[in-house]
Amino acid sequence: MDAVIWMRALTGPLDGTGDMVVRTTLSLSACEIRLSRPDRANALSPTLVETLMRAVTRAYSDGTRLLVLRGEGRNFCAGFDQSDAATIDHLEISARTMQIEALLQLLWQAPFVTVARVHGAAFGAGADLVAACDYRLGTDGIRMAFPGFRKFGVTLGTRRLATLIGSDRAFDLVLRGRTVDAEEAISMRLLTHRLNDEGATAFIRQLASEIEELGTRPFAALREATRGEGAAAGDLSRVVRSIGEVNSP
């Protein structure tokens, strides 16, 4: 693979939405999308989520066959941006939660292979981003947690999490909101690989090469065979219902 192509960065605004997301071309059919709010630990503001959705949607139609998701700075993603939590009502929280769920479904149902490259913290919706990807690479020192149910009563991404690690483990993680390290995350398959930075780069390069060798073979059939029809079909309605139950009198 051409090292120049691998490292070429497109650092300008993406589709006119600003600089919260950086897209890097890894090869002719692979790209990397980086969350770029390091001062906020890449917390998911409405603008960042919208920008990510545009970037992922673009990958649906531009020939991308491998998409890598990572965060800039010290952490992968701190989850839901709570910087203005004191000034927004439950309707705004509901809208933002559903927007994040729509992003998660774009990743979960993508017609290309997805990789989450995790370092530092991946909390809440940030951990859900990881769980929505096919390959989940983590370095030593990572911390992952799903505190949304304890904080907001929201079951965002829980069904996908249960698909990955089993219903009992998913129930425990979401109910208790506890933090897991790299060793536990790999043991329960929340991570698929435990790699240092160099190892992660080598793995992604090899995966990109193997995918390109497959040519244009349809990916949808493999996705359906391994996840089943309608794997995420009820997730949005579950999120809406859980929010409604929390905010009911």
Side-chain angles (χ1 to χ4, degrees), residues 138-207:
T139 62
D140 287 335
I142 68 157
R143 294 163 293 137
M144 298 184 68
F146 300 84
F149 182 74
R150 294 183 67 86
K151 288 186 176 182
F152 305 111
V154 175
T155 57
L156 181 69
T158 303
R159 188 164 183 250
R160 280 182 295 271
L161 181 63
T163 298
L164 295 180
I165 68 174
S167 58
D168 290 344
R169 284 175 169 170
F171 181 85
D172 177 69
L173 285 186
V174 174
L175 178 68
R176 299 169 65 190
R178 65 185 183 84
T179 301
V180 299
D181 60 16
E183 182 176 0
E184 185 174 7
I186 199 75
S187 71
M188 65 173 59
R189 299 294 294 171
L190 183 54
L191 292 179
T192 58
H193 298 77
R194 185 178 177 183
L195 300 167
N196 60 23
D197 194 58
E198 182 179 342
T201 297
F203 176 85
I204 292 168
R205 287 182 174 178
Q206 179 64 28
L207 182 60

Side-chain angles (χ1 to χ4, degrees), residues 24-197:
T24 303
T25 300
L26 304 182
S27 73
L28 294 178
S29 60
C31 71
E32 178 182 271
I33 294 175
R34 279 178 285 155
L35 288 67
S36 185
R37 290 187 77 203
D39 57 319
R40 295 291 305 168
N42 301 315
L44 295 172
S45 66
T47 302
L48 177 54
V49 175
E50 179 185 356
T51 309
L52 283 170
M53 291 183 70
R54 292 188 183 186
V56 175
T57 300
R58 169 179 163 181
Y60 267 62
S61 59
D62 68 359
T64 294
R65 303 184 62 216
L66 172 65
L67 185 147
V68 179
L69 190 65
R70 68 186 301 184
E72 290 190 341
R74 298 176 59 185
N75 299 289
F76 176 76
C77 178
F80 190 91
D81 187 354
Q82 301 181 51
S83 60
D84 60 351
T87 64
I88 60 177
D89 59 21
H90 73 273
L91 291 178
E92 177 64 19
I93 293 175
S94 300
R96 294 186 187 184
T97 302
M98 288 186 283
Q99 181 192 36
I100 293 172
E101 174 59 33
L103 169 62
L104 296 175
Q105 290 199 24
L106 278 175
L107 289 167
W108 180 257
Q109 301 179 48
F112 41 77
V113 179
T114 54
V115 178
R117 186 168 173 171
V118 189
H119 70 287
F123 289 158
D128 288 313
L129 282 176
V130 179
C133 292
D134 300 308
Y135 292 91
R136 303 170 298 281
L137 320 181
T139 62
D140 287 335
I142 68 157
R143 294 163 293 137
M144 298 184 68
F146 300 84
F149 182 74
R150 294 183 67 86
K151 288 186 176 182
F152 305 111
V154 175
T155 57
L156 181 69
T158 303
R159 188 164 183 250
R160 280 182 295 271
L161 181 63
T163 298
L164 295 180
I165 68 174
S167 58
D168 290 344
R169 284 175 169 170
F171 181 85
D172 177 69
L173 285 186
V174 174
L175 178 68
R176 299 169 65 190
R178 65 185 183 84
T179 301
V180 299
D181 60 16
E183 182 176 0
E184 185 174 7
I186 199 75
S187 71
M188 65 173 59
R189 299 294 294 171
L190 183 54
L191 292 179
T192 58
H193 298 77
R194 185 178 177 183
L195 300 167
N196 60 23
D197 194 58

